Amino acid sequence: MGSLSTHVLNTASGRPAAGLRIELFQGSELVKEIVTNKDGRSDAALLSDDEFESGIYELRFHAGDYLRSEGSDLLEPAFLDVIIIRFGLAEGQGHYHVPLLLSPYGYSTYRGS
């Protein structure tokens, strides 16, 4: 079937974003909530073969809280607070990896491998 994973890199510090809270939603339903480990990753797949189903999902990265905890001098309100990435998962498409490259004033993402 398929799986879903993510990781977050803090491009301002050049380090993995450890301790960043991420929520996974399918529609309005919260599917999973994790906090990134020391490598900026989840300890296990966000969705594995048994949980994987096609549909529209959102990853909500709580970047503002993370950046504040790292000592970033953010204006209030922060330019980036919760970063929402909405994407589709199709059955039979194998592994999806959605990384986030983060700084206080910008981010990028892509479908990784």
Side-chain angles (χ1 to χ4, degrees):
M1 294 269 308
S3 63
L4 171 67
S5 63
T6 188
H7 77 275
V8 185
L9 298 175
N10 181 336
T11 58
S13 68
R15 297 186 319 233
L20 190 146
R21 183 166 62 103
I22 302 170
E23 298 169 313
L24 174 66
F25 282 83
Q26 185 178 22
S28 61
E29 181 183 338
L30 177 64
V31 175
K32 190 171 282 186
E33 183 174 346
I34 63 109
V35 175
T36 56
N37 62 24
K38 68 179 180 161
D39 295 321
R41 300 176 181 275
S42 59
D43 290 326
L46 295 172
L47 293 174
S48 61
D49 286 334
D50 297 344
E51 305 161 310
F52 188 96
E53 57 181 70
S54 63
I56 303 297
Y57 289 82
E58 286 183 1
L59 282 170
R60 297 181 186 179
F61 297 87
H62 291 263
D65 292 341
Y66 162 76
L67 291 166
R68 285 182 198 91
S69 75
E70 288 292 300
S72 291
D73 188 20
L74 302 180
L75 300 174
E76 292 299 332
F79 181 69
L80 295 175
D81 189 18
V82 178
I83 297 169
I84 299 171
I85 300 173
R86 183 175 292 139
F87 56 95
L89 300 180
E91 278 192 64
Q93 293 300 309
H95 179 68
Y96 285 83
H97 184 68
V98 183
L100 182 72
L101 305 175
L102 169 67
S103 76
Y105 296 98
Y107 68 91
S108 65
T109 190
Y110 54 94
R111 181 178 175 181
S113 57

mmCIF file of all heavy atoms in Angstrom, residues 30-68:
data_model
loop_
_atom_site.group_PDB
_atom_site.id
_atom_site.type_symbol
_atom_site.label_atom_id
_atom_site.label_comp_id
_atom_site.label_asym_id
_atom_site.label_seq_id
_atom_site.Cartn_x
_atom_site.Cartn_y
_atom_site.Cartn_z
ATOM 1 N N LEU A 30 -8.251 14.786 13.219
ATOM 2 C CA LEU A 30 -6.867 14.629 13.643
ATOM 3 C C LEU A 30 -6.528 13.149 13.621
ATOM 4 O O LEU A 30 -7.160 12.341 14.292
ATOM 5 C CB LEU A 30 -6.662 15.196 15.056
ATOM 6 C CG LEU A 30 -5.262 15.037 15.642
ATOM 7 C CD1 LEU A 30 -4.230 15.815 14.849
ATOM 8 C CD2 LEU A 30 -5.261 15.485 17.103
ATOM 9 N N VAL A 31 -5.526 12.788 12.826
ATOM 10 C CA VAL A 31 -5.121 11.394 12.671
ATOM 11 C C VAL A 31 -3.994 11.042 13.631
ATOM 12 O O VAL A 31 -3.982 9.988 14.247
ATOM 13 C CB VAL A 31 -4.677 11.110 11.212
ATOM 14 C CG1 VAL A 31 -4.135 9.707 11.053
ATOM 15 C CG2 VAL A 31 -5.827 11.377 10.252
ATOM 16 N N LYS A 32 -3.034 11.969 13.768
ATOM 17 C CA LYS A 32 -1.869 11.689 14.601
ATOM 18 C C LYS A 32 -1.210 13.002 14.988
ATOM 19 O O LYS A 32 -1.258 13.968 14.239
ATOM 20 C CB LYS A 32 -0.872 10.825 13.839
ATOM 21 C CG LYS A 32 0.260 10.270 14.681
ATOM 22 C CD LYS A 32 1.070 9.245 13.908
ATOM 23 C CE LYS A 32 0.313 7.927 13.890
ATOM 24 N NZ LYS A 32 1.061 6.830 13.285
ATOM 25 N N GLU A 33 -0.585 12.996 16.158
ATOM 26 C CA GLU A 33 0.211 14.139 16.602
ATOM 27 C C GLU A 33 1.546 13.605 17.092
ATOM 28 O O GLU A 33 1.591 12.622 17.835
ATOM 29 C CB GLU A 33 -0.511 14.879 17.723
ATOM 30 C CG GLU A 33 0.212 16.109 18.193
ATOM 31 C CD GLU A 33 -0.587 16.909 19.206
ATOM 32 O OE1 GLU A 33 -1.796 16.669 19.370
ATOM 33 O OE2 GLU A 33 0.018 17.787 19.843
ATOM 34 N N ILE A 34 2.628 14.240 16.655
ATOM 35 C CA ILE A 34 3.961 13.801 17.058
ATOM 36 C C ILE A 34 4.809 15.030 17.397
ATOM 37 O O ILE A 34 4.452 16.157 17.080
ATOM 38 C CB ILE A 34 4.666 12.959 15.961
ATOM 39 C CG1 ILE A 34 4.905 13.770 14.675
ATOM 40 C CG2 ILE A 34 3.876 11.726 15.626
ATOM 41 C CD1 ILE A 34 6.352 14.102 14.461
ATOM 42 N N VAL A 35 5.942 14.769 18.031
ATOM 43 C CA VAL A 35 6.974 15.780 18.259
ATOM 44 C C VAL A 35 8.252 15.213 17.655
ATOM 45 O O VAL A 35 8.595 14.046 17.893
ATOM 46 C CB VAL A 35 7.151 16.072 19.763
ATOM 47 C CG1 VAL A 35 8.306 17.031 19.991
ATOM 48 C CG2 VAL A 35 5.858 16.637 20.348
ATOM 49 N N THR A 36 8.943 16.027 16.863
ATOM 50 C CA THR A 36 10.138 15.535 16.186
ATOM 51 C C THR A 36 11.241 15.168 17.179
ATOM 52 O O THR A 36 11.387 15.796 18.226
ATOM 53 C CB THR A 36 10.681 16.577 15.186
ATOM 54 O OG1 THR A 36 10.926 17.806 15.862
ATOM 55 C CG2 THR A 36 9.722 16.779 14.031
ATOM 56 N N ASN A 37 12.010 14.157 16.826
ATOM 57 C CA ASN A 37 13.122 13.703 17.662
ATOM 58 C C ASN A 37 14.373 14.538 17.392
ATOM 59 O O ASN A 37 14.318 15.526 16.662
ATOM 60 C CB ASN A 37 13.362 12.194 17.461
ATOM 61 C CG ASN A 37 13.759 11.844 16.044
ATOM 62 O OD1 ASN A 37 14.280 12.666 15.286
ATOM 63 N ND2 ASN A 37 13.527 10.596 15.657
ATOM 64 N N LYS A 38 15.490 14.144 17.938
ATOM 65 C CA LYS A 38 16.732 14.926 17.814
ATOM 66 C C LYS A 38 17.208 15.066 16.372
ATOM 67 O O LYS A 38 17.978 15.965 16.060
ATOM 68 C CB LYS A 38 17.836 14.325 18.676
ATOM 69 C CG LYS A 38 18.308 12.973 18.201
ATOM 70 C CD LYS A 38 19.413 12.423 19.067
ATOM 71 C CE LYS A 38 19.809 11.062 18.493
ATOM 72 N NZ LYS A 38 21.093 10.640 18.933
ATOM 73 N N ASP A 39 16.729 14.188 15.489
ATOM 74 C CA ASP A 39 17.077 14.267 14.070
ATOM 75 C C ASP A 39 16.040 15.041 13.255
ATOM 76 O O ASP A 39 16.103 15.054 12.024
ATOM 77 C CB ASP A 39 17.236 12.865 13.483
ATOM 78 C CG ASP A 39 18.414 12.125 14.093
ATOM 79 O OD1 ASP A 39 19.463 12.758 14.327
ATOM 80 O OD2 ASP A 39 18.287 10.908 14.349
ATOM 81 N N GLY A 40 15.046 15.638 13.939
ATOM 82 C CA GLY A 40 13.996 16.378 13.246
ATOM 83 C C GLY A 40 12.984 15.493 12.553
ATOM 84 O O GLY A 40 12.264 15.936 11.672
ATOM 85 N N ARG A 41 12.922 14.234 12.969
ATOM 86 C CA ARG A 41 12.037 13.241 12.341
ATOM 87 C C ARG A 41 11.062 12.670 13.365
ATOM 88 O O ARG A 41 11.254 12.808 14.564
ATOM 89 C CB ARG A 41 12.860 12.092 11.763
ATOM 90 C CG ARG A 41 13.841 12.529 10.707
ATOM 91 C CD ARG A 41 14.705 11.363 10.232
ATOM 92 N NE ARG A 41 15.669 11.788 9.242
ATOM 93 C CZ ARG A 41 15.437 11.891 7.942
ATOM 94 N NH1 ARG A 41 14.250 11.573 7.463
ATOM 95 N NH2 ARG A 41 16.367 12.307 7.108
ATOM 96 N N SER A 42 10.061 11.972 12.855
ATOM 97 C CA SER A 42 9.193 11.197 13.740
ATOM 98 C C SER A 42 9.874 9.853 14.001
ATOM 99 O O SER A 42 10.665 9.382 13.187
ATOM 100 C CB SER A 42 7.815 10.989 13.104
ATOM 101 O OG SER A 42 7.923 10.323 11.877
ATOM 102 N N ASP A 43 9.588 9.268 15.149
ATOM 103 C CA ASP A 43 10.212 7.991 15.492
ATOM 104 C C ASP A 43 9.688 6.838 14.636
ATOM 105 O O ASP A 43 10.359 5.831 14.481
ATOM 106 C CB ASP A 43 10.005 7.682 16.976
ATOM 107 C CG ASP A 43 10.822 8.610 17.863
ATOM 108 O OD1 ASP A 43 11.939 9.008 17.460
ATOM 109 O OD2 ASP A 43 10.337 8.950 18.956
ATOM 110 N N ALA A 44 8.491 7.001 14.099
ATOM 111 C CA ALA A 44 7.887 5.980 13.233
ATOM 112 C C ALA A 44 7.149 6.701 12.104
ATOM 113 O O ALA A 44 6.938 7.914 12.164
ATOM 114 C CB ALA A 44 6.917 5.111 14.033
ATOM 115 N N ALA A 45 6.756 5.956 11.107
ATOM 116 C CA ALA A 45 5.999 6.543 9.994
ATOM 117 C C ALA A 45 4.721 7.193 10.516
ATOM 118 O O ALA A 45 4.102 6.695 11.461
ATOM 119 C CB ALA A 45 5.660 5.468 8.965
ATOM 120 N N LEU A 46 4.339 8.309 9.917
ATOM 121 C CA LEU A 46 3.078 8.957 10.293
ATOM 122 C C LEU A 46 1.888 8.104 9.882
ATOM 123 O O LEU A 46 0.880 8.055 10.574
ATOM 124 C CB LEU A 46 2.987 10.337 9.652
ATOM 125 C CG LEU A 46 4.031 11.347 10.124
ATOM 126 C CD1 LEU A 46 3.970 12.608 9.275
ATOM 127 C CD2 LEU A 46 3.846 11.671 11.581
ATOM 128 N N LEU A 47 2.010 7.466 8.739
ATOM 129 C CA LEU A 47 1.033 6.473 8.282
ATOM 130 C C LEU A 47 1.825 5.284 7.776
ATOM 131 O O LEU A 47 2.789 5.449 7.031
ATOM 132 C CB LEU A 47 0.172 7.011 7.134
ATOM 133 C CG LEU A 47 -0.781 8.148 7.421
ATOM 134 C CD1 LEU A 47 -1.431 8.622 6.116
ATOM 135 C CD2 LEU A 47 -1.842 7.750 8.425
ATOM 136 N N SER A 48 1.417 4.108 8.168
ATOM 137 C CA SER A 48 2.059 2.901 7.652
ATOM 138 C C SER A 48 1.046 2.138 6.810
ATOM 139 O O SER A 48 -0.093 2.550 6.657
ATOM 140 C CB SER A 48 2.584 2.041 8.803
ATOM 141 O OG SER A 48 1.521 1.643 9.639
ATOM 142 N N ASP A 49 1.468 1.000 6.287
ATOM 143 C CA ASP A 49 0.615 0.223 5.379
ATOM 144 C C ASP A 49 -0.792 0.008 5.918
ATOM 145 O O ASP A 49 -1.764 0.173 5.188
ATOM 146 C CB ASP A 49 1.257 -1.128 5.081
ATOM 147 C CG ASP A 49 2.441 -1.000 4.133
ATOM 148 O OD1 ASP A 49 2.463 -0.037 3.345
ATOM 149 O OD2 ASP A 49 3.329 -1.850 4.191
ATOM 150 N N ASP A 50 -0.911 -0.339 7.191
ATOM 151 C CA ASP A 50 -2.229 -0.627 7.769
ATOM 152 C C ASP A 50 -3.105 0.618 7.867
ATOM 153 O O ASP A 50 -4.321 0.536 7.770
ATOM 154 C CB ASP A 50 -2.084 -1.240 9.160
ATOM 155 C CG ASP A 50 -1.375 -2.586 9.129
ATOM 156 O OD1 ASP A 50 -1.274 -3.188 8.038
ATOM 157 O OD2 ASP A 50 -0.906 -3.030 10.193
ATOM 158 N N GLU A 51 -2.497 1.783 8.065
ATOM 159 C CA GLU A 51 -3.242 3.028 8.270
ATOM 160 C C GLU A 51 -3.429 3.820 6.971
ATOM 161 O O GLU A 51 -4.257 4.714 6.911
ATOM 162 C CB GLU A 51 -2.493 3.926 9.251
ATOM 163 C CG GLU A 51 -2.196 3.260 10.575
ATOM 164 C CD GLU A 51 -1.092 3.980 11.330
ATOM 165 O OE1 GLU A 51 -0.031 4.254 10.736
ATOM 166 O OE2 GLU A 51 -1.313 4.268 12.513
ATOM 167 N N PHE A 52 -2.628 3.515 5.965
ATOM 168 C CA PHE A 52 -2.590 4.310 4.741
ATOM 169 C C PHE A 52 -3.882 4.159 3.955
ATOM 170 O O PHE A 52 -4.314 3.061 3.644
ATOM 171 C CB PHE A 52 -1.410 3.850 3.875
ATOM 172 C CG PHE A 52 -1.152 4.727 2.678
ATOM 173 C CD1 PHE A 52 -0.212 5.724 2.747
ATOM 174 C CD2 PHE A 52 -1.843 4.538 1.494
ATOM 175 C CE1 PHE A 52 0.050 6.529 1.646
ATOM 176 C CE2 PHE A 52 -1.597 5.329 0.388
ATOM 177 C CZ PHE A 52 -0.645 6.336 0.468
ATOM 178 N N GLU A 53 -4.500 5.285 3.649
ATOM 179 C CA GLU A 53 -5.619 5.279 2.705
ATOM 180 C C GLU A 53 -5.538 6.550 1.874
ATOM 181 O O GLU A 53 -5.067 7.589 2.345
ATOM 182 C CB GLU A 53 -6.976 5.151 3.405
ATOM 183 C CG GLU A 53 -7.301 6.192 4.422
ATOM 184 C CD GLU A 53 -8.666 5.954 5.065
ATOM 185 O OE1 GLU A 53 -8.802 4.998 5.824
ATOM 186 O OE2 GLU A 53 -9.585 6.750 4.783
ATOM 187 N N SER A 54 -5.955 6.437 0.626
ATOM 188 C CA SER A 54 -5.860 7.589 -0.260
ATOM 189 C C SER A 54 -6.777 8.702 0.233
ATOM 190 O O SER A 54 -7.761 8.456 0.930
ATOM 191 C CB SER A 54 -6.206 7.192 -1.697
ATOM 192 O OG SER A 54 -7.540 6.748 -1.766
ATOM 193 N N GLY A 55 -6.411 9.924 -0.108
ATOM 194 C CA GLY A 55 -7.220 11.066 0.291
ATOM 195 C C GLY A 55 -6.379 12.323 0.398
ATOM 196 O O GLY A 55 -5.196 12.339 0.087
ATOM 197 N N ILE A 56 -7.044 13.377 0.862
ATOM 198 C CA ILE A 56 -6.406 14.675 1.072
ATOM 199 C C ILE A 56 -6.029 14.776 2.545
ATOM 200 O O ILE A 56 -6.854 14.530 3.430
ATOM 201 C CB ILE A 56 -7.342 15.827 0.686
ATOM 202 C CG1 ILE A 56 -7.787 15.697 -0.766
ATOM 203 C CG2 ILE A 56 -6.674 17.174 0.943
ATOM 204 C CD1 ILE A 56 -6.674 15.788 -1.784
ATOM 205 N N TYR A 57 -4.772 15.142 2.790
ATOM 206 C CA TYR A 57 -4.232 15.245 4.147
ATOM 207 C C TYR A 57 -3.627 16.627 4.352
ATOM 208 O O TYR A 57 -3.325 17.338 3.396
ATOM 209 C CB TYR A 57 -3.144 14.197 4.374
ATOM 210 C CG TYR A 57 -3.658 12.789 4.469
ATOM 211 C CD1 TYR A 57 -3.937 12.055 3.320
ATOM 212 C CD2 TYR A 57 -3.862 12.184 5.700
ATOM 213 C CE1 TYR A 57 -4.407 10.756 3.399
ATOM 214 C CE2 TYR A 57 -4.334 10.878 5.788
ATOM 215 C CZ TYR A 57 -4.602 10.176 4.642
ATOM 216 O OH TYR A 57 -5.069 8.884 4.727
ATOM 217 N N GLU A 58 -3.450 16.981 5.619
ATOM 218 C CA GLU A 58 -2.725 18.181 5.999
ATOM 219 C C GLU A 58 -1.713 17.840 7.074
ATOM 220 O O GLU A 58 -2.031 17.116 8.020
ATOM 221 C CB GLU A 58 -3.651 19.242 6.598
ATOM 222 C CG GLU A 58 -4.520 19.942 5.633
ATOM 223 C CD GLU A 58 -5.354 21.023 6.280
ATOM 224 O OE1 GLU A 58 -5.266 21.264 7.505
ATOM 225 O OE2 GLU A 58 -6.136 21.650 5.530
ATOM 226 N N LEU A 59 -0.515 18.368 6.914
ATOM 227 C CA LEU A 59 0.466 18.377 7.990
ATOM 228 C C LEU A 59 0.483 19.800 8.528
ATOM 229 O O LEU A 59 0.598 20.759 7.756
ATOM 230 C CB LEU A 59 1.856 17.995 7.483
ATOM 231 C CG LEU A 59 2.090 16.516 7.242
ATOM 232 C CD1 LEU A 59 3.405 16.293 6.509
ATOM 233 C CD2 LEU A 59 2.077 15.748 8.566
ATOM 234 N N ARG A 60 0.342 19.931 9.841
ATOM 235 C CA ARG A 60 0.386 21.240 10.494
ATOM 236 C C ARG A 60 1.630 21.280 11.366
ATOM 237 O O ARG A 60 1.715 20.587 12.383
ATOM 238 C CB ARG A 60 -0.870 21.478 11.317
ATOM 239 C CG ARG A 60 -2.120 21.516 10.453
ATOM 240 C CD ARG A 60 -3.365 21.769 11.251
ATOM 241 N NE ARG A 60 -4.552 21.650 10.413
ATOM 242 C CZ ARG A 60 -5.785 21.808 10.844
ATOM 243 N NH1 ARG A 60 -6.014 22.101 12.117
ATOM 244 N NH2 ARG A 60 -6.800 21.670 10.005
ATOM 245 N N PHE A 61 2.576 22.081 10.941
ATOM 246 C CA PHE A 61 3.856 22.222 11.630
ATOM 247 C C PHE A 61 3.765 23.445 12.544
ATOM 248 O O PHE A 61 3.560 24.561 12.063
ATOM 249 C CB PHE A 61 4.979 22.426 10.617
ATOM 250 C CG PHE A 61 5.199 21.266 9.680
ATOM 251 C CD1 PHE A 61 4.481 21.164 8.499
ATOM 252 C CD2 PHE A 61 6.128 20.286 9.976
ATOM 253 C CE1 PHE A 61 4.695 20.109 7.617
ATOM 254 C CE2 PHE A 61 6.348 19.223 9.102
ATOM 255 C CZ PHE A 61 5.628 19.135 7.929
ATOM 256 N N HIS A 62 3.937 23.259 13.835
ATOM 257 C CA HIS A 62 3.839 24.347 14.806
ATOM 258 C C HIS A 62 5.194 25.056 14.909
ATOM 259 O O HIS A 62 5.910 24.957 15.898
ATOM 260 C CB HIS A 62 3.325 23.814 16.137
ATOM 261 C CG HIS A 62 1.895 23.397 16.048
ATOM 262 N ND1 HIS A 62 0.851 24.201 16.433
ATOM 263 C CD2 HIS A 62 1.330 22.273 15.532
ATOM 264 C CE1 HIS A 62 -0.291 23.599 16.198
ATOM 265 N NE2 HIS A 62 -0.027 22.409 15.642
ATOM 266 N N ALA A 63 5.493 25.793 13.848
ATOM 267 C CA ALA A 63 6.802 26.421 13.677
ATOM 268 C C ALA A 63 7.037 27.559 14.661
ATOM 269 O O ALA A 63 8.146 27.713 15.180
ATOM 270 C CB ALA A 63 6.941 26.929 12.245
ATOM 271 N N GLY A 64 6.030 28.385 14.917
ATOM 272 C CA GLY A 64 6.201 29.516 15.826
ATOM 273 C C GLY A 64 6.629 29.077 17.213
ATOM 274 O O GLY A 64 7.585 29.622 17.780
ATOM 275 N N ASP A 65 5.943 28.082 17.764
ATOM 276 C CA ASP A 65 6.308 27.568 19.095
ATOM 277 C C ASP A 65 7.731 27.033 19.089
ATOM 278 O O ASP A 65 8.506 27.281 20.016
ATOM 279 C CB ASP A 65 5.346 26.463 19.539
ATOM 280 C CG ASP A 65 3.945 26.968 19.809
ATOM 281 O OD1 ASP A 65 3.755 28.190 20.005
ATOM 282 O OD2 ASP A 65 3.018 26.129 19.825
ATOM 283 N N TYR A 66 8.073 26.285 18.045
ATOM 284 C CA TYR A 66 9.422 25.723 17.946
ATOM 285 C C TYR A 66 10.465 26.837 17.861
ATOM 286 O O TYR A 66 11.469 26.820 18.584
ATOM 287 C CB TYR A 66 9.536 24.807 16.721
ATOM 288 C CG TYR A 66 10.969 24.564 16.337
ATOM 289 C CD1 TYR A 66 11.766 23.684 17.060
ATOM 290 C CD2 TYR A 66 11.558 25.255 15.277
ATOM 291 C CE1 TYR A 66 13.104 23.491 16.735
ATOM 292 C CE2 TYR A 66 12.879 25.075 14.947
ATOM 293 C CZ TYR A 66 13.650 24.192 15.673
ATOM 294 O OH TYR A 66 14.972 24.014 15.372
ATOM 295 N N LEU A 67 10.259 27.798 16.978
ATOM 296 C CA LEU A 67 11.240 28.868 16.791
ATOM 297 C C LEU A 67 11.418 29.686 18.071
ATOM 298 O O LEU A 67 12.541 30.050 18.436
ATOM 299 C CB LEU A 67 10.837 29.760 15.614
ATOM 300 C CG LEU A 67 10.950 29.086 14.242
ATOM 301 C CD1 LEU A 67 10.209 29.894 13.179
ATOM 302 C CD2 LEU A 67 12.405 28.879 13.854
ATOM 303 N N ARG A 68 10.322 29.949 18.794
ATOM 304 C CA ARG A 68 10.427 30.656 20.076
ATOM 305 C C ARG A 68 11.252 29.842 21.069
ATOM 306 O O ARG A 68 12.090 30.383 21.784
ATOM 307 C CB ARG A 68 9.045 30.941 20.645
ATOM 308 C CG ARG A 68 8.316 32.049 19.952
ATOM 309 C CD ARG A 68 6.950 32.325 20.614
ATOM 310 N NE ARG A 68 6.115 33.068 19.720
ATOM 311 C CZ ARG A 68 5.259 32.534 18.835
ATOM 312 N NH1 ARG A 68 5.113 31.229 18.745
ATOM 313 N NH2 ARG A 68 4.550 33.303 18.049
#
